[in-house]
Amino acid sequence: MQQPFQLENVESAAKDSRFFSLSLDLLCIAGFDGYFKHINPAWSRILGWSNEDLFNKPFLEFVHPEDRESTILAAQKLTTGQDAICFENRYLCADGSYKWLSWNSTTFSDENLIYAVARDITATKENEIALRNSLKESENLKYALNAHCLVAITDTDGIITYVNDKFCRISQYSREELIGKKHSIINSGYHSQEFFAQLWDTISQGKIWQGEIKNQAKDGSFYWVDTTIVPRLSAAGKPEKYVAIRTDITQRKLSELAIQERSHLSLLSAEVSLILAQSGTLTEIIQHSTQVISQYLDVAFVGIWTGEPQTTELKFQAGVSCTDNNFNCLTNIQDFAHQNLVANSVIDIINQNNQAILNQELATEFHNYNFEHISSNLFFSAYPLIVEQELVGLMALFSSEPLSQATHNLLNWIANNIAVAIDRIWAKEQLLSRREALLLGLASQIRSSLDLDTILETAVTEIRSLLQIDRCYFIRYLPHFSQTSLSITHESRHIKLPSTLGMISLKNYPFLAKKLLHQELICIHNIESDRQIEEHIQKFLTEFGITSLLLLPVNSNTGELGAIVCSHCSGERVWDNSEISLLQAVTDQLGIAIDHAQLYTQSRTATLAAQAQAEKLSETLHKLQQTQAQLIQQEKMSSLGQLVAGIAHEINNPVNFIHGNLSPADEYVQDLLELLKLYEKHYPHPAPEIQDFCEKVDLEFIANDLLKLLSSMRLGTNRIREIVLSLRNFSRLDEAEMKAVNIHEGLDSTLLILQNRLKAKSEHPIGIEIIKEYGKLPLVECYPGQMNQVFMNIINNAIDALDNYHNQHSQLDTQTNPSQIRIRTELTNNRRVIVRIADNGPGIPQDVQLKLFDPFFTTKPVGKGTGLGLSISYQIVVEKHAGILRCESVLGKGTEFWIEIPLQQEEMPI
């Protein structure tokens, strides 16, 4: 009976052993001494330790340091008699990580053993910790958002469904006023429609949008928010609501804008200062100033008006109109239609108090006027340009935003500096005009009278008036004549000063002769403060009562010396470089005047004696040259005209015969072809001999080509007739009298005759391109044959110039710069016809241009030209047609001949 019981025990033990070994949980038996006594394989599989590692150390060493205290307490409860306990701790793995284990433990007190089952709950525990942390973070985030951010939730239509307290506080709207509305309630109008369209396009696709937005509070004030909009997606991945989180960045934005404004204003002031310091005309400086202002300030328009010197009427000088980042410069009244409105409506206000106008709304300030192209929501500002209590101009601006105080202060500064610049430019222009008038007056005196006394008198008078000095005089020194002398010959002085005209003692003032001989300049600003003055000069100044002096020597090639002396007799007079430069130019003119006067005196006698004979010879020679040129050219053109007319006549007769017979020949051929078709129709099976011959000559091809051949012959005869007509038009032997003709026909006839020279050749494979730019001309009254002769001469010369250019340059050069002759015609307002013939050849040197129309002058080799073509052309245009013939040429760019004649000849020379 005992044997079956033992077998049952063995089987039960085996089952227990399999349960212990195959369990997925960690099973163990530990002693009260703190060591494992028995463990199942799950320990090594889950923790990675070997059995030896686990048995050799107290199990407490594998417990996480933070969990050891709670593990010890649990073990103490077991050892003190508690039947079973449950607890959790973290166990160290072989790879250094920890796993969470959930324990169920009990004791067997008789053997001092602890039986325990542990389950790996690491994944569950980590999820629990993550969830707890997430809930905590959510609470913290919600608190942070409500404390520091503006939060709003909208539905897919943009309707607000939730706002937090800070949103209400910043926007100054209550929650009831916001919920159910769209965000347009806080739209500031700062951003464009495209901006919001891009925002909605982004979030409607389920994407997050971030950016900075300028909003408007309930009281009209503005605030900036850094915005993030997060779409909340449905299960289908479509947005079902939008959460907008905004951070108030108004102070930061204002600081950035303030810094940016200060930077812009600093750069603006620097650039305006640089512009005003540069030289240039008044319009250029003002135009540059308005362009810089428009680039640095957000303005729709900026313009400057100035009053003409000594007038009160304002004139628009320059401005800039700005639209969509486009800057359009305005330079006249037509560019800005309301310039008179702005100027006239503002001038009275500014004249009353000389104060600027700042940020006036157009709708209220100018409601009586119609601003067609200026938006009514712009602000208007104006700044007077004042110099010494005088209004010299006005600067006006239109801006979409009110100008800040800093911008207003800078614009006031700019206006003041522009006013000073305007005054300086006016003064400079006045001074320059006076200086130019002085130099021109002296030069005119030299050219017209050659009267040295008149010239010197003019010089000292104008210099004193220009420089506003007490005295100006001319000292003459004659060192190489029979008696050396030094004298003041001309002066201009203040009416209260005594005259100094007369001789100066060389004995008392030898330094003056020395300075003049060595051409030395003397410049003394103040006799009292200048301690470098030599003693003899000091004595001279004191004796003549001079406190400031400027002496500039005058030198001439005839040996006569002199000096222009400017002096001041009361206080300091500083001589600046511009005044010295002016007087040096004057002394140069005076030196030329002295030379001219002396040469004029010396040559006058001989000139008078030879003048009559020279004029007679010159007139005779000129008439002889004209007669020779006319005879040669007339004979040449007469022979050419007769030859051309004869050839045209001889060609015309046989061509007319051929051309006239082509029409009946065409009819005969068509009849014969029709007859052949009838034969083919009624006798479809010809004799073998006829059939073989038809195939041999290709009768079908002949039938198709014969008509084309006759048509081609007709085109050829028409072309020959056109050439003959052009030859007759060019020769014009039957049109020697003046008559109204089509100038373009004469040009086309000339080009047709020269066609052989224009087309490509083996040595010039590209040829010459003719560009016709004919204007609309009526019939022109002229001598047709002679005008054709002029066209022939000029175009022929242009072809010669281009051929020479080809010969001197490579084929690659001529390909990159192909030869061209451009012919333009036009009718002027005063009813004169202009024909311009230009080439892009090498050009004509300036010295050759001066001789182009001289008879027998030519630059061509012997046998290549007579030098009569342009001379005869000049006579035909100028003398026969009362016109103008001139040449304009630039080396390397080409030559243009200008032919201008009246549309109708009133009175022609005989």
Side-chain angles (χ1 to χ4, degrees):
M1 294 299 294
Q2 292 181 352
Q3 186 173 0
F5 176 78
Q6 292 177 351
L7 180 60
E8 184 179 349
N9 289 339
V10 171
E11 290 177 354
S12 176
K15 291 180 181 179
D16 292 342
S17 176
R18 283 196 304 273
F19 174 79
F20 192 81
S21 300
L22 298 177
S23 174
L24 297 177
D25 293 329
L26 290 82
L27 306 178
C28 67
I29 300 173
F32 285 2
D33 59 358
Y35 284 88
F36 288 113
K37 303 303 181 182
H38 190 56
I39 58 176
N40 70 338
W43 282 84
S44 295
R45 186 174 64 253
I46 294 175
L47 300 181
W49 300 107
S50 65
N51 290 349
E52 184 179 359
D53 293 331
L54 293 169
F55 288 143
N56 291 338
K57 292 181 182 179
F59 60 77
L60 199 59
E61 289 190 16
F62 295 94
V63 177
H64 193 283
E66 295 178 1
D67 300 336
R68 287 176 184 173
E69 184 176 352
S70 60
T71 302
I72 293 172
L73 290 176
Q76 288 176 350
K77 290 180 180 179
L78 289 171
T79 56
T80 56
Q82 190 168 342
D83 292 339
I85 61 171
C86 297
F87 65 95
E88 297 173 352
N89 63 8
R90 286 165 286 180
Y91 253 66
L92 179 66
C93 298
D95 60 3
S97 62
Y98 284 90
K99 289 187 179 293
W100 279 95
L101 300 179
S102 176
W103 294 91
N104 286 311
S105 304
T106 186
T107 60
F108 193 68
S109 301
D110 295 340
E111 299 179 357
N112 292 330
L113 294 176
I114 300 174
Y115 291 82
V117 178
R119 177 164 292 179
D120 182 6
I121 60 170
T122 303
T124 304
K125 198 69 176 178
E126 288 177 351
N127 290 336
E128 180 185 334
I129 294 172
L131 178 60
R132 186 165 58 249
N133 291 338
S134 176
L135 292 174
K136 184 176 182 181
E137 288 177 0
S138 297
E139 291 297 322
N140 294 337
L141 179 60
K142 182 178 179 180
Y143 176 79
L145 284 175
N146 288 325
H148 300 285
C149 297
L150 294 78
V151 181
I153 300 176
T154 63
D155 60 18
T156 54
D157 294 326
I159 303 299
I160 300 173
T161 59
Y162 168 81
V163 290
N164 68 346
D165 293 339
K166 187 159 187 176
F167 191 108
C168 298
R169 186 169 67 255
I170 298 298
S171 68
Q172 301 178 15
Y173 288 98
S174 66
R175 188 172 277 103
E176 291 74 14
E177 291 175 309
L178 292 171
I179 293 178
K181 302 291 193 306
K182 291 189 175 182
H183 276 88
S184 57
I185 191 174
I186 56 172
N187 189 352
S188 65
Y190 177 81
H191 303 283
S192 65
Q193 293 182 354
E194 291 77 11
F195 175 87
F196 290 108
Q198 186 273 334
L199 182 154
W200 275 101
D201 183 64
T202 300
I203 62 177
S204 62
Q205 298 179 39
K207 300 177 183 178
I208 297 175
W209 184 91
Q210 289 181 308
E212 296 179 351
I213 300 178
K214 182 179 181 180
N215 290 330
Q216 186 174 23
K218 187 176 181 179
D219 65 354
S221 61
F222 297 100
Y223 63 94
W224 282 86
V225 287
D226 188 357
T227 304
T228 300
I229 302 177
V230 181
R232 195 164 183 178
L233 306 180
S234 65
K238 299 291 185 180
E240 56 185 10
K241 63 178 61 177
Y242 302 107
V243 179
I245 301 173
R246 301 174 175 87
T247 303
D248 187 0
I249 57 170
T250 304
Q251 293 303 317
R252 190 201 78 191
K253 202 68 179 179
L254 292 176
S255 300
E256 290 177 357
L257 293 175
I259 293 172
Q260 184 179 7
E261 182 183 26
R262 286 197 296 270
S263 175
H264 270 63
L265 295 181
S266 299
L267 292 173
L268 173 58
S269 64
E271 289 211 30
V272 170
S273 299
L274 181 61
I275 291 171
L276 297 181
Q278 294 175 346
S279 60
T281 64
L282 178 61
T283 301
E284 290 173 345
I285 290 177
I286 289 180
Q287 185 67 73
H288 290 166
S289 299
T290 55
Q291 288 176 359
V292 170
I293 292 173
S294 66
Q295 291 169 3
Y296 281 94
L297 300 182
D298 184 16
V299 294
F301 167 82
V302 55
I304 295 179
W305 290 255
T306 62
E308 295 292 335
Q310 302 173 346
T311 66
T312 58
E313 183 179 354
L314 288 181
K315 176 184 177 183
F316 182 70
Q317 281 287 349
V320 176
S321 175
C322 310
T323 56
D324 298 331
N325 297 324
N326 292 324
F327 300 92
N328 301 316
C329 295
L330 313 176
T331 56
N332 53 54
I333 294 176
Q334 287 72 24
D335 290 338
F336 181 52
H338 299 291
Q339 67 90 21
N340 283 327
L341 165 63
V342 174
N344 296 333
S345 58
V346 174
I347 187 67
D348 293 335
I349 301 174
I350 291 182
N351 259 333
Q352 293 174 5
N353 51 19
N354 287 345
Q355 297 295 320
I357 297 175
L358 178 63
N359 297 330
Q360 292 286 355
E361 293 188 29
L362 290 177
T364 57
E365 188 67 17
F366 302 104
H367 56 84
N368 293 327
Y369 303 108
N370 178 25
F371 286 86
E372 298 173 356
H373 68 288
I374 299 178
S375 176
S376 60
N377 61 350
L378 293 179
F379 294 89
F380 174 76
S381 301
Y383 299 85
L385 310 180
I386 299 173
V387 176
E388 297 181 355
Q389 304 304 317
E390 293 290 334
L391 184 70
V392 299
L394 170 72
M395 179 171 69
L397 303 96
F398 294 100
S399 58
S400 56
E401 297 287 341
L403 299 180
S404 66
Q405 187 62 41
T407 304
H408 173 64
N409 295 337
L410 178 63
L411 289 174
N412 258 324
W413 177 87
I414 290 175
N416 292 334
N417 282 271
I418 290 177
V420 173
I422 292 172
D423 186 62
R424 184 185 73 247
I425 292 172
W426 284 348
K428 183 178 179 181
E429 289 176 349
Q430 186 177 12
L431 180 60
L432 288 174
S433 63
R434 295 187 63 189
R435 292 179 177 181
E436 291 174 359
L438 174 59
L439 291 176
L440 290 173
L442 291 174
S444 177
Q445 290 285 352
I446 293 171
R447 289 192 301 270
S448 60
S449 68
L450 288 177
D451 183 356
L452 188 57
D453 288 333
T454 303
I455 294 169
L456 293 175
E457 191 67 38
T458 301
V460 296
T461 302
E462 292 296 330
I463 290 173
R464 177 178 173 270
S465 174
L466 177 65
L467 301 184
Q468 294 295 302
I469 53 178
D470 293 338
R471 194 194 306 269
C472 179
Y473 44 93
F474 179 76
I475 296 179
R476 176 175 291 170
Y477 179 48
L478 305 175
H480 302 304
F481 295 90
S482 58
Q483 184 178 359
T484 302
S485 64
L486 182 67
S487 61
I488 298 176
T489 60
H490 302 81
E491 75 168 350
S492 176
R493 57 186 172 84
H494 194 279
I495 56 175
K496 294 183 179 180
L497 295 177
S499 174
T500 57
L501 292 173
M503 303 298 294
I504 300 177
S505 173
L506 284 171
K507 181 179 179 181
N508 295 336
Y509 306 110
F511 77 94
L512 283 177
K514 182 180 178 182
K515 295 289 185 183
L516 296 179
L517 282 171
H518 292 86
Q519 296 291 293
E520 296 181 16
L521 181 145
I522 301 176
C523 180
I524 299 171
H525 302 297
N526 192 337
I527 189 175
E528 299 294 336
S529 60
D530 194 342
R531 303 302 178 186
Q532 305 297 325
I533 305 176
E534 300 174 17
E535 182 179 351
H536 49 272
I537 298 178
Q538 180 86 23
K539 178 183 175 183
F540 172 79
L541 297 177
T542 303
E543 182 173 333
F544 280 86
I546 297 172
T547 60
S548 177
L549 177 135
L550 178 63
L551 182 146
L552 293 100
V554 177
N555 186 22
S556 70
N557 296 324
T558 60
E560 184 173 341
L561 302 176
I564 288 290
V565 182
C566 301
S567 63
H568 221 52
C569 301
S570 57
E572 182 181 70
R573 175 62 163 86
V574 178
W575 312 99
D576 59 38
N577 292 332
S578 63
E579 292 172 336
I580 296 175
S581 299
L582 170 67
L583 294 180
Q584 286 175 335
V586 172
T587 56
D588 291 341
Q589 293 284 346
L590 291 178
I592 297 171
I594 294 172
D595 288 339
H596 287 189
Q598 293 293 339
L599 292 173
Y600 176 72
T601 302
Q602 293 172 6
S603 62
R604 186 173 182 181
T605 304
T607 302
L608 291 174
Q611 183 176 3
Q613 185 66 21
E615 288 179 356
K616 186 176 180 180
L617 290 174
S618 176
E619 183 179 356
T620 303
L621 178 61
H622 181 69
K623 288 182 179 179
L624 178 60
Q625 288 180 334
Q626 284 188 337
T627 302
Q628 288 177 320
Q630 289 175 356
L631 287 174
I632 294 171
Q633 190 70 7
Q634 287 174 2
E635 181 64 25
K636 174 183 173 182
M637 293 307 298
S638 176
S639 300
L640 177 62
Q642 291 175 0
L643 178 62
V644 169
I647 293 173
H649 178 72
E650 292 301 325
I651 294 175
N652 197 42
N653 287 334
V655 168
N656 286 338
F657 172 78
I658 296 171
H659 187 78
N661 288 328
L662 285 175
S663 294
D666 182 72
E667 294 175 2
Y668 298 158
V669 169
Q670 289 185 9
D671 291 338
L672 291 174
L673 293 175
E674 187 63 28
L675 180 61
L676 284 175
K677 290 180 181 179
L678 291 174
Y679 268 102
E680 288 178 349
K681 178 179 178 181
H682 295 286
Y683 298 99
H685 304 292
E689 184 179 357
I690 296 175
Q691 190 171 359
D692 292 340
F693 184 79
C694 289
E695 292 176 356
K696 180 179 179 180
V697 299
D698 196 354
L699 183 61
E700 183 178 357
F701 172 80
I702 292 175
N704 291 331
D705 194 64
L706 189 55
L707 294 177
K708 296 179 181 177
L709 184 64
L710 290 172
S711 177
S712 176
M713 292 171 65
R714 183 178 288 103
L715 290 175
T717 56
N718 282 332
R719 181 60 178 158
I720 295 173
R721 295 177 72 192
E722 290 174 2
I723 293 173
V724 170
L725 181 61
S726 295
L727 291 173
R728 293 187 60 194
N729 287 340
F730 178 79
S731 64
R732 297 283 188 175
L733 291 179
D734 57 340
E735 298 179 3
E737 298 300 325
M738 180 176 294
K739 62 181 298 184
V741 296
N742 187 337
I743 286 291
H744 295 156
E745 289 183 357
L747 288 167
D748 291 338
S749 298
T750 304
L751 293 172
L752 183 62
I753 292 172
L754 296 173
Q755 184 63 38
N756 187 58
R757 299 199 63 196
L758 296 171
K759 65 183 181 180
K761 309 179 187 66
S762 58
E763 63 273 21
H764 305 315
I766 299 179
I768 300 174
E769 180 186 2
I770 299 296
I771 301 175
K772 299 179 183 179
E773 298 178 356
Y774 290 170
K776 188 175 182 181
L777 297 183
L779 297 181
V780 181
E781 194 174 82
C782 65
Y783 292 103
Q786 294 182 6
M787 288 306 300
N788 289 346
Q789 179 182 349
V790 173
F791 300 150
M792 172 69 77
N793 288 334
I794 294 175
I795 297 175
N796 209 35
N797 286 342
I799 295 173
D800 290 340
L802 292 172
D803 285 344
N804 291 335
Y805 176 82
H806 278 300
N807 295 333
Q808 297 172 5
H809 291 78
S810 65
Q811 184 174 347
L812 179 61
D813 292 338
T814 57
Q815 288 177 347
T816 56
N817 184 25
S819 299
Q820 293 178 344
I821 295 178
R822 188 182 301 271
I823 304 176
R824 303 177 184 174
T825 63
E826 60 181 288
L827 180 65
T828 64
N829 293 332
N830 56 352
R831 298 183 64 77
R832 292 179 70 85
V833 176
I834 297 175
V835 180
R836 296 158 65 184
I837 302 174
D839 64 69
N840 62 341
I844 303 174
Q846 185 66 31
D847 58 335
V848 175
Q849 291 184 45
L850 299 175
K851 305 175 184 178
L852 275 180
F853 303 114
D854 293 348
F856 305 107
F857 173 78
T858 181
T859 58
K860 299 176 182 178
V862 176
K864 295 294 186 180
T866 63
L868 295 175
L870 290 179
S871 175
I872 295 299
S873 298
Y874 186 84
Q875 293 179 18
I876 291 172
V877 174
V878 177
E879 298 179 10
K880 293 291 185 69
H881 291 84
I884 297 172
L885 176 60
R886 68 171 185 262
C887 173
E888 297 177 358
S889 182
V890 179
L891 287 177
K893 293 187 177 180
T895 304
E896 180 178 79
F897 281 88
W898 177 293
I899 305 167
E900 180 179 336
I901 61 173
L903 183 64
Q904 294 180 337
Q905 302 290 329
E906 296 180 0
E907 185 175 339
M908 297 301 297
I910 300 174

